Amino acid sequence: MPDLGWNDFDTLESYIANEQRKYPESRGIFADVVRRIGIASKVVAVKVQKAGLLDVLGSHGAHNVQGEEQQKLDVIANEIMKATFEWMPLVAGIATEEEEDYTVYPPKPENEGDRYIILFDPLDGSSNIDANVSVGTIFSIHRVEGGGYRTKLSDFLQPGKSQVAAGYVIYGSSTMFVFSTGFGVHGFTLDPEIGEYVLSHENIRVPDQCTCFSANEANYKKWDEPTQRFADHLRYGDDEIYEITTSRYIGSLVADFHRNLLHGGVFMYPADAQTGKGKLRLLYECAPMAMLMEQAGGMATTGRERIMDIVPTELHQRVPVAFGAVREMEMYEGMVAEADEQ
Ligand code: AHG
Ligand code: MN
Ligand code: MN
């Protein structure tokens, strides 16, 4: 046998196929959707990598539904994701951070059984693109029972705990696809030589040691008292567990989350105490990341409520969020509860 330069390995394709075999009770048909996201992400990755070469950097000159300036790459990534799903018979509809309304795809007559709703943040961290900082794509998949013939808003407003899969792609020094179908969290690195996602991080578990504290600390004065107390404890407290805890904040959720998932740490985007509102979007950012964090052994909370339990009331709802290992998340919830009791 000649030396081919590679050994037997799992690709995203083969892993999904195997995962279905391992868990025959899982429905599995949405594996097609996950595969398809993998392909779309390769197209986005190419665009992101060429960003400096193509005339795609900078503002598109328009604003998205949340009043934020859209970057050209936001628009491009959004179009790529939409084009990926619109012909897929399994997809009942999509909602994206970049568009005010959801889109429903009519079922084909031969289409029986469950179909799926895909929610996505096509390009997360896009305000950093001009500075060559890592960005990502986040996705969340829900089932619509009964073929999705009358897909409606409530099918999109499902709590995080009913996700059948969630994940992200990080366009960093390498491109990685990280996802969960409820059987752990697995990471695949794009091998540029063969153009395939290859299993590189099987069954990721978030470390217990809180190595990083990640929040936009310029907002500290806007946080409520228990949030400030929690942040102070991790950063300057005399608990020796936190002696090695250091501040790390990129401003791209995917990149901050990914680092903390691998190295251990707390990421938070707390509420503005005056308005009580968070910044990150429940459906496109918080719920999918919450599924991954829980599947990796950690927790995701608003401080008062498990993120996965929140029933959304609107598509673009924003919630306060903290992700981390159980110890720190329980400590945070404890501090919030203590303050609420007073
Ligand atoms: P997006 O680029 O999809 O609009 O998301 C930006 C988000 C998220 O990636 C990041 O965690 C957060 O905004 C950063 O916000 P601040 O600049 O307020 O820290
Ligand atoms: Mn985002
Ligand atoms: Mn975005």
Side-chain angles (χ1 to χ4, degrees), residues 104-125:
V104 167
Y105 302 128
K108 304 220 163 33
E110 70 275 15
N111 204 206
E112 285 173 11
D114 297 342
R115 296 171 77 218
Y116 297 89
I117 296 281
I118 326 276
L119 303 124
F120 52 86
D121 177 352
L123 207 60
D124 172 72

Side-chain angles (χ1 to χ4, degrees), residues 36-37 40-41 43-45 47-48 56 60 62-66 69-86 93-103 105 118-124 126 129 135-139 171 284 316:
R36 208 51 210 163
I37 296 172
S41 71
V43 182
V44 177
K47 298 287 181 198
V48 169
V56 291
H60 180 60
H63 288 75
N64 71 7
V65 288
Q66 291 155 45
E69 203 179 1
Q70 274 182 309
Q71 304 290 312
K72 280 185 182 177
L73 264 176
D74 276 331
V75 179
I76 293 168
N78 193 43
E79 292 306 320
I80 292 169
M81 291 295 280
K82 278 168 60 185
T84 300
F85 301 121
E86 77 194 338
I94 56 132
T96 148
E97 181 193 272
E98 297 298 331
E99 293 178 18
E100 186 157 6
D101 276 328
Y102 59 90
T103 305
Y105 302 128
I118 326 276
L119 303 124
F120 52 86
D121 177 352
L123 207 60
D124 172 72
S126 52
I129 291 169
V135 291
T137 298
I138 309 172
F139 64 91
Y171 311 106
Y284 317 108
H316 297 286

Side-chain angles (χ1 to χ4, degrees), residues 23 25 35 42 49 97 170 212 250 255 293 307 327:
Y23 304 101
E25 73 277 14
R35 271 192 215 108
K42 290 183 197 174
Q49 273 155 15
E97 181 193 272
I170 177 167
C212 307
I250 296 167
M293 188 47 81
I307 295 290
R327 185 179 195 276

Side-chain angles (χ1 to χ4, degrees), residues 37 66 81 106 118 122 130 166 174 188 206 211 232 257 264 316 337:
I37 296 172
Q66 291 155 45
M81 291 295 280
I118 326 276
D130 287 9
S174 53
F188 298 78
V206 65
T211 309
D232 290 349
F257 183 95
H316 297 286

Side-chain angles (χ1 to χ4, degrees), residues 10 43 64 71 102 161 177 205 221-222 230 243 249 306:
D10 266 314
V43 182
N64 71 7
Q71 304 290 312
Y102 59 90
K161 64 186 171 195
F177 189 100
R205 306 295 294 170
K221 282 191 185 157
K222 297 181 186 165
F230 174 68
E243 258 167 31
Y249 187 71
R306 179 184 174 223

Side-chain angles (χ1 to χ4, degrees), residues 24-242:
E25 73 277 14
S26 80
R27 307 285 289 272
I29 36 179
F30 66 87
D32 279 346
V33 179
V34 176
R35 271 192 215 108
R36 208 51 210 163
I37 296 172
I39 295 167
S41 71
K42 290 183 197 174
V43 182
V44 177
V46 168
K47 298 287 181 198
V48 169
Q49 273 155 15
K50 281 191 182 170
L53 299 171
L54 306 169
D55 182 29
V56 291
L57 276 179
S59 168
H60 180 60
H63 288 75
N64 71 7
V65 288
Q66 291 155 45
E68 296 153 330
E69 203 179 1
Q70 274 182 309
Q71 304 290 312
K72 280 185 182 177
L73 264 176
D74 276 331
V75 179
I76 293 168
N78 193 43
E79 292 306 320
I80 292 169
M81 291 295 280
K82 278 168 60 185
T84 300
F85 301 121
E86 77 194 338
W87 61 267
M88 282 192 83
L90 282 174
V91 177
I94 56 132
T96 148
E97 181 193 272
E98 297 298 331
E99 293 178 18
E100 186 157 6
D101 276 328
Y102 59 90
T103 305
V104 167
Y105 302 128
K108 304 220 163 33
E110 70 275 15
N111 204 206
E112 285 173 11
D114 297 342
R115 296 171 77 218
Y116 297 89
I117 296 281
I118 326 276
L119 303 124
F120 52 86
D121 177 352
L123 207 60
D124 172 72
S126 52
S127 66
N128 293 319
I129 291 169
D130 287 9
N132 221 338
V133 168
S134 298
V135 291
T137 298
I138 309 172
F139 64 91
S140 162
I141 307 179
H142 287 272
R143 180 179 292 133
V144 192
E145 283 169 17
Y149 277 87
R150 285 175 297 277
T151 306
K152 50 200 178 307
L153 180 60
S154 59
D155 293 321
F156 291 83
L157 301 181
Q158 300 187 50
K161 64 186 171 195
S162 68
Q163 290 171 106
V164 292
Y168 60 81
V169 183
I170 177 167
Y171 311 106
S173 45
S174 53
T175 299
M176 261 188 84
F177 189 100
V178 177
F179 84 110
S180 178
T181 57
F183 301 108
V185 180
H186 312 296
F188 298 78
T189 302
L190 185 63
D191 181 335
E193 288 185 348
I194 60 170
E196 285 288 351
Y197 282 110
V198 177
L199 180 65
S200 53
H201 297 66
E202 191 169 22
N203 202 18
I204 300 171
R205 306 295 294 170
V206 65
D208 287 334
Q209 175 64 52
C210 178
T211 309
C212 307
F213 175 75
S214 312
N216 186 337
E217 296 181 36
N219 293 333
Y220 181 87
K221 282 191 185 157
K222 297 181 186 165
W223 299 343
D224 62 16
E225 183 278 328
T227 302
Q228 291 180 340
R229 190 148 47 93
F230 174 68
D232 290 349
H233 185 70
L234 266 48
R235 297 181 307 168
Y236 327 118
D238 45 22
D239 193 336
E240 64 182 32
I241 298 178
Y242 302 120

